[in-house]
Amino acid sequence: MSTPSSTAATPNIMLAIHEKKTTPLDLYRPLRNYIAFTYSEREAANLDDDLQTLNDLRSSATSATDTLPHRRDLLQNYHKALTAVESRFPISPDKDHINTVTFVWHDAFKNKQKASQQNIHLEKAAVVFNLGAVWSQMGLGFDRASVEGRRQAVQAFIAAAGAFAYLRDNSSMKASMGSSTTVDVSVECAGMLERLMLAQAQECVFENSIAKGSTPGACAKIARQVGVYYEEALAALSVAPLNQHFDKGWLSHVQLKAALFYAEACYRYSLELHEKEEIAEEIARLKSGASALSEAKKSSSKGAAQQILDAMNKLEANISRNLERAMKENDRVYLMRVPPASALPPLPAFSMVKSMPMSEVLDASKEKMFASLVPDNSAKALSRYTEMVDGIIRTQAEKLQQGSELTRVRLKEMDLPDSILSLEGNALLPTALKEDVEAVQISGGPAGLDAELQQLRDLRRVNQELLVQTEELLQKEATEDAQFRSQFGTRWTRPQSSTLTKNLQDRLNRFAANLKQAAESDARIERSVRDHSALMSILDRHPIESALPTLARPIMSLDANEDAIVGALKQSLRQLETLGAQRAGLEDMLKDMKRKDDILPKLMTSTGSYEDLFRKEIAKYDPICEDIAHNIEAQEQLLLQIQAQNDEFAAVFNIEDYRASCEKSYKQIEAAIAKFREIKENINEGLKFYITLQDAITNVKQQCSDFIMTRNIQCREMIEEVQRKMAGLSFQDVRSKNSGAYNYPPVGQPHQVQRNSSQQQTDPGNVPNPFPQTPYYQQPAQQPGYSQAPPSYAPQQPPPPYHVPAAGGSPYPPQQSQQQPGSNHEYGQPAYPGWRGPYYNAPQGQQPGSLPRPPYTVPSPYPPPHQSGYYRPQ
């Protein structure tokens, strides 16, 4: 199949943005007067060069005489200079500000419209807009017929997109707050121009992909993203305030480009579909692309670029040729139903470009212009003082942190305050072990395992009943076939059921083996629960701390001073807690003092040595530092006292034996948790196994029902044939109708009935179900067959074991909705996720095969039940 190039044969026409125009403006004199008035004439003279440089930058940046790269650099440098001006020179109509500077800028798209503001925000917004415009012109100027030219164009367009994105996010809102403004620097216009530049950058990437011979699928994704960007730009152009601001040529260009690249994506995607032989979707995609092109050309204005129209015509010809070929192949070979365009999923798209961040390009943090307006010596002095304060804060914070850590480690070594809490009946588990126990109890604990075991048993019973029902279906059909074969002898030429259901029987046998093995696994789980119920019962204790040993008082005491020992130790622990709270308050006081410590006014007015001022200011931190030192010293003395008291406490209350008992309890709880988790995992694995197996058995049962329906249709037709032969009728048509033997396809394949205009020929392997089958688990009122006795014209023959249907009647049960089974899903891969019916708890009179809803939620899709090795179905 040929894959002719479409839009990428020659580079398409693109758009560049014209720069905004301004009026000449002198910044030198107003800014110099402000410096001389606010600071000094000497400072103004020192900054004379910076002022002249700023004036020259504006003059050069607003003229169009330089090359594009040079203009780009001028605009970037001028924007950095404006950032330095903004933080040092207040420009506004206020009488105390620089109120003699008015910036005037014309709209880039409607030159007669202009904005004039006495603030620097309009100036910065216009400079950023022109920066994006220059980059767009650079992108348009590169030779896109070469690989390098396309790469350079991509970089230029994404830089332009970054400039317009920066304008939208940073400058547009500020510029729009002035007394007058223009649409071109609005948030809406900046966003639209960013989308347009990204579209053109992505289009260059698409051209490069076509030139490199990328796969149709990759080209389709890139082309679709081009269309998405153009569609976003078109959406912005179609609403206020842009819909009345741009001429129709812009709207027509963007509209045609959006349709062109949507159709291009459909065309490229159809090539990939053709390789996969997905003819139906290929035809639908080609029709969708052709329709988009046709509608776009009808709605385009007369001023639309002829180059774009030529590309659309060429693409339309390619689409028409492939569409005609695909439709012929579908009519002759595939015979697939073509889905409507509304039913198609969205085309995949992949963006290869993004707006260039402007934060680094326009960063003015290293700009030295007007840096001396803040006295350098004062700034250095302030920085040095700040470093001194930071050193004090850092040193004292480290002392406080070390004191708290020392307390925590020493108390843990002495097993405090846990031993005191245990004496009072408030024993504590280690944090990690406590969390594990809570997780077990939240999941139901050992007491909840019986209910889950009952779920296993119920699910196993449901599967067994489904399996029996399915086997009975096949056995019933085989019995009926044997009866007819015995009655009619050689006239009954239909193949035996056993030859057609071998595959189904084999699968049912495997399911039976799986159920047997699963039952053995269930028994092992139940034995494990019984054997370890005593071990796991500790996890049902609420609270779990009640299962821990308690620290008991000594049975005999010589001086009865136990209460005094415990009271003294508690008092010392409370004092230690108080010292810890004081340390936290001291650290907060340090940080608060630093936050309020502003000596800049003192530095600016100081006439003496900075060192004297520093010593005076630093001295105010000394009281807090002394309090911290006293706190650390008092804590050390108190820890020594607590150590001595705890040694006496441990000797009286036999702490060593208590600790050994606690460790034993911890190990018992850990062992119980481990065993519970093991059993829980095995039960969950069993639940997943039975749910997945039920899907597989249900699928096979549906296949058996379809097979039996087909056999019933064939049985009826063969009975009619035998009746006519027995009555001595002419069988000329019958022989032509049943000239071939019955051929059965594999069970579970779709069945079809082929009919001609004069007679019906039934292929047993391809019989459709003109009457949707009654759900297989409902017993019909009577056996399928005929409702009347055979005709009276054959009295010499014994009455056959079937009934002739009444005229106009149907031998099938009334039509009912029947969901088609999943398409050949094997065991372990259910046709669809979820539960098929209510959880089984069959009351009296419940129809066999109905499945109750489970009391739990099963994740979807099911993982194969043999992953863990516990259940291994065949």
Side-chain angles (χ1 to χ4, degrees):
M1 180 189 65
S2 61
T3 57
S5 61
S6 53
T7 62
T10 57
N12 277 321
I13 188 171
M14 293 186 179
L15 297 177
I17 314 301
H18 293 296
E19 296 177 60
K20 292 172 67 65
K21 304 299 181 183
T22 186
T23 57
L25 178 65
D26 177 42
L27 295 175
Y28 176 89
R29 184 55 54 187
L31 267 60
R32 192 184 190 284
N33 291 340
Y34 177 81
I35 298 172
F37 179 80
T38 305
Y39 296 95
S40 65
E41 180 61 30
R42 180 180 178 181
E43 189 68 25
N46 291 337
L47 294 174
D48 196 79
D49 291 341
D50 288 350
L51 292 169
Q52 189 60 48
T53 301
L54 176 66
N55 220 36
D56 294 341
L57 274 175
R58 188 182 197 277
S59 178
S60 300
T62 55
S63 64
T65 57
D66 296 315
T67 62
L68 290 176
H70 189 222
R71 287 188 49 68
R72 175 200 61 197
D73 297 338
L74 283 172
L75 288 167
Q76 291 176 181
N77 293 333
Y78 182 48
H79 189 276
K80 294 176 183 179
L82 288 174
T83 302
V85 169
E86 182 180 12
S87 61
R88 292 168 173 84
F89 301 94
I91 301 175
S92 75
D94 193 285
K95 63 179 182 178
D96 295 329
H97 293 174
I98 304 174
N99 53 20
T100 59
V101 173
T102 302
F103 299 101
V104 179
W105 286 91
H106 293 265
D107 193 289
F109 305 104
K110 290 186 179 296
N111 194 52
K112 293 182 180 180
Q113 299 181 7
K114 65 180 181 179
S116 59
Q117 296 182 18
Q118 286 181 295
N119 68 64
I120 204 168
H121 302 309
L122 176 62
E123 184 81 349
K124 293 181 70 176
V127 171
V128 175
F129 182 96
N130 283 354
L131 183 60
V134 167
W135 259 316
S136 72
Q137 295 169 26
M138 292 175 62
L140 200 64
F142 290 116
D143 179 17
R144 290 173 21 240
S146 64
V147 175
E148 182 62 19
R150 289 189 292 268
R151 186 191 66 79
Q152 292 174 336
V154 169
Q155 294 301 316
F157 284 131
I158 64 175
F164 291 120
Y166 186 89
L167 173 64
R168 177 196 62 208
D169 299 334
N170 298 276
S171 304
S172 290
M173 290 299 297
K174 296 178 180 178
S176 300
M177 294 173 63
S179 57
S180 65
T181 185
T182 51
V183 174
D184 56 351
V185 294
S186 66
V187 173
E188 295 82 1
C189 187
M192 182 276 293
L193 293 176
E194 181 204 17
R195 297 290 101 181
L196 178 62
M197 294 298 106
L198 287 175
Q200 297 187 159
Q202 182 86 0
E203 187 175 346
C204 294
V205 175
F206 173 75
E207 293 172 356
N208 210 34
S209 300
I210 297 297
K212 292 191 301 183
S214 299
T215 63
C219 292
K221 293 179 181 179
I222 297 174
R224 182 64 193 114
Q225 187 60 49
V226 177
V228 169
Y229 284 141
Y230 276 117
E231 289 167 6
E232 292 173 349
L234 178 63
L237 284 169
S238 302
V239 297
L242 305 184
N243 57 345
Q244 301 297 328
H245 195 73
F246 289 83
D247 58 24
K248 294 182 179 180
W250 271 75
L251 187 64
S252 180
H253 175 90
V254 176
Q255 183 179 11
L256 290 177
K257 280 294 188 78
L260 174 63
F261 280 94
Y262 173 78
E264 183 72 42
C266 291
Y267 171 72
R268 298 287 170 182
Y269 193 67
S270 70
L271 299 179
E272 185 180 55
L273 292 172
H274 188 81
E275 294 176 358
K276 298 178 180 179
E277 297 186 355
E278 297 178 8
I279 302 300
E281 186 177 353
E282 177 190 3
I283 294 173
R285 294 293 184 187
L286 290 173
K287 286 182 177 180
S288 179
S291 175
L293 290 175
S294 177
E295 292 177 2
K297 288 193 294 183
K298 289 179 182 178
S299 60
S300 64
S301 64
K302 295 182 179 180
Q306 185 61 40
Q307 188 178 6
I308 301 178
L309 294 175
D310 292 341
M312 296 178 73
N313 292 333
K314 183 176 180 181
L315 176 59
E316 193 172 27
N318 292 338
I319 290 176
S320 299
R321 181 174 57 255
N322 284 8
L323 178 59
E324 181 180 1
R325 180 224 354 109
M327 293 180 67
K328 288 181 179 179
E329 291 181 2
N330 190 45
D331 293 341
R332 296 174 181 175
V333 180
Y334 297 97
L335 303 177
M336 300 176 68
R337 186 183 68 84
V338 178
S342 59
L344 295 174
L347 284 169
F350 185 77
S351 178
M352 300 290 291
V353 297
K354 63 178 181 179
S355 301
M356 178 186 295
M358 290 288 107
S359 56
E360 294 182 4
V361 176
L362 301 178
D363 180 27
S365 60
K366 298 180 180 179
E367 182 63 46
K368 297 181 180 180
M369 187 176 290
F370 306 116
S372 61
L373 280 183
V374 176
D376 187 62
N377 54 350
S378 297
K380 290 181 178 178
L382 179 61
S383 176
R384 183 183 173 198
Y385 176 81
T386 302
E387 290 177 358
M388 294 171 65
V389 173
D390 289 342
I392 293 174
I393 300 296
R394 185 168 49 253
T395 300
Q396 298 303 318
E398 290 175 356
K399 290 181 179 179
L400 293 172
Q401 184 178 3
Q402 291 173 359
S404 298
E405 182 66 15
L406 176 64
T407 299
R408 187 188 66 81
V409 173
R410 295 284 293 275
L411 289 179
K412 185 174 181 61
E413 292 174 351
M414 292 183 284
D415 200 21
L416 291 174
D418 292 351
S419 57
I420 298 294
L421 294 174
S422 178
L423 181 64
E424 298 172 349
N426 299 317
L428 297 177
L429 273 177
T431 303
L433 191 58
K434 173 74 172 178
E435 292 174 352
D436 291 342
V437 172
E438 289 176 349
V440 169
Q441 292 177 346
I442 290 173
S443 66
L449 292 179
D450 290 337
E452 296 188 9
L453 290 175
Q454 184 60 41
Q455 292 176 5
L456 278 181
R457 290 190 287 268
D458 290 344
L459 281 172
R460 185 171 68 248
R461 184 174 66 253
V462 168
N463 279 276
Q464 289 171 343
E465 291 177 358
L466 277 175
L467 190 62
V468 170
Q469 293 168 13
T470 306
E471 292 173 346
E472 289 176 353
L473 286 174
L474 295 180
Q475 183 61 37
K476 179 180 178 183
E477 194 281 332
T479 301
E480 293 176 355
D481 181 71
Q483 291 175 355
F484 285 118
R485 192 175 306 280
S486 174
Q487 178 178 354
F488 295 111
T490 58
R491 289 192 299 271
W492 196 259
T493 59
R494 193 172 63 160
Q496 294 185 5
S497 297
S498 59
T499 62
L500 303 177
T501 59
K502 183 179 184 304
N503 181 48
L504 291 173
Q505 290 289 356
D506 291 342
R507 294 182 67 183
L508 294 176
N509 291 337
R510 288 198 298 271
F511 292 157
N514 289 338
L515 281 173
K516 181 179 179 182
Q517 184 178 358
E520 297 173 356
S521 299
D522 294 348
R524 287 196 297 270
I525 295 177
E526 294 182 4
R527 284 197 302 271
S528 181
V529 171
R530 290 194 301 269
D531 294 342
H532 299 93
S533 60
L535 172 65
M536 294 187 295
S537 62
I538 192 174
L539 300 177
D540 284 328
R541 301 283 290 273
H542 292 278
I544 186 63
E545 288 80 4
S546 62
L548 297 177
T550 57
L551 183 61
R553 293 178 176 273
I555 299 175
M556 296 181 62
S557 176
L558 297 178
D559 51 3
N561 63 345
E562 296 88 358
D563 292 337
I565 294 174
V566 173
L569 184 56
K570 286 183 178 181
Q571 180 64 27
S572 298
L573 290 174
R574 283 193 291 269
Q575 294 176 5
L576 189 64
E577 185 177 357
T578 301
L579 290 176
Q582 290 177 359
R583 286 196 301 276
L586 291 171
E587 186 174 3
D588 292 337
M589 289 175 61
L590 275 175
K591 294 179 180 179
D592 185 66
M593 183 174 289
K594 179 182 181 297
R595 185 171 60 253
K596 296 178 179 179
D597 192 10
D598 182 17
I599 68 166
L600 182 58
K602 297 179 181 179
L603 284 173
M604 300 295 294
T605 58
S606 175
T607 57
S609 171
Y610 285 146
E611 297 298 327
D612 295 338
L613 180 62
F614 290 166
R615 282 193 294 270
K616 180 181 177 180
E617 293 296 325
I618 289 294
K620 61 177 174 269
Y621 290 92
D622 292 341
I624 300 180
C625 294
E626 292 174 2
D627 290 341
I628 291 174
H630 293 158
N631 182 281
I632 299 299
E633 183 179 357
Q635 175 184 275
E636 187 62 30
Q637 296 297 326
L638 187 57
L639 284 174
L640 294 175
Q641 177 181 323
I642 291 174
Q643 180 69 59
Q645 292 172 342
N646 187 66
D647 292 341
E648 186 177 4
F649 173 82
V652 172
F653 287 89
N654 196 8
I655 293 295
E656 292 300 327
D657 291 345
Y658 167 72
R659 290 177 179 174
S661 300
C662 287
E663 288 297 326
K664 182 179 179 181
S665 297
Y666 296 160
K667 291 181 180 179
Q668 180 183 358
I669 294 174
E670 290 172 353
I673 292 173
K675 180 53 65 176
F676 175 82
R677 287 174 175 173
E678 175 188 341
I679 293 174
K680 185 78 171 178
E681 290 173 0
N682 290 337
I683 292 176
N684 290 338
E685 187 178 350
L687 293 174
K688 289 188 290 185
F689 167 84
Y690 284 123
I691 293 170
T692 308
L693 182 61
Q694 181 179 349
D695 285 339
I697 297 177
T698 303
N699 187 23
V700 172
K701 185 175 182 181
Q702 182 61 54
Q703 294 179 18
C704 294
S705 299
D706 293 343
F707 166 75
I708 293 171
M709 174 64 71
T710 302
R711 295 279 286 181
N712 288 340
I713 294 174
Q714 295 164 355
C715 177
R716 181 190 64 185
E717 294 172 348
M718 184 167 287
I719 289 173
E720 293 173 354
E721 177 186 358
V722 173
Q723 276 189 320
R724 284 191 290 270
K725 288 183 179 181
M726 293 169 61
L729 298 176
S730 173
F731 301 112
Q732 182 65 29
D733 293 338
V734 177
R735 281 194 295 271
S736 62
K737 174 182 175 182
N738 298 282
S739 57
Y742 288 94
N743 297 319
Y744 292 86
V747 176
Q749 297 296 323
H751 306 291
Q752 299 179 353
V753 175
Q754 302 176 355
R755 300 178 183 273
N756 55 29
S757 59
S758 61
Q759 58 185 357
Q760 171 184 333
Q761 180 177 353
T762 303
D763 182 354
N766 295 281
V767 180
N769 184 1
F771 305 97
Q773 181 185 351
T774 302
Y776 49 80
Y777 52 80
Q778 293 184 353
Q779 297 296 334
Q782 62 182 13
Q783 295 296 331
Y786 298 86
S787 59
Q788 296 181 3
S792 58
Y793 51 74
Q796 71 278 9
Q797 297 293 337
Y802 51 83
H803 302 283
V804 179
S810 171
Y812 300 103
Q815 297 188 19
Q816 297 183 17
S817 173
Q818 174 94 7
Q819 181 179 0
Q820 294 298 327
S823 56
N824 294 332
H825 284 279
E826 292 296 334
Y827 166 71
Q829 298 292 333
Y832 57 89
W835 186 259
R836 287 188 178 273
Y839 193 81
Y840 188 85
N841 187 11
Q844 294 296 326
Q846 180 173 342
Q847 290 292 344
S850 62
L851 303 178
R853 184 180 305 278
Y856 48 84
T857 302
V858 181
S860 173
Y862 303 119
H866 54 275
Q867 285 183 347
S868 65
Y870 189 74
Y871 289 85
R872 298 191 179 277
Q874 299 298 320

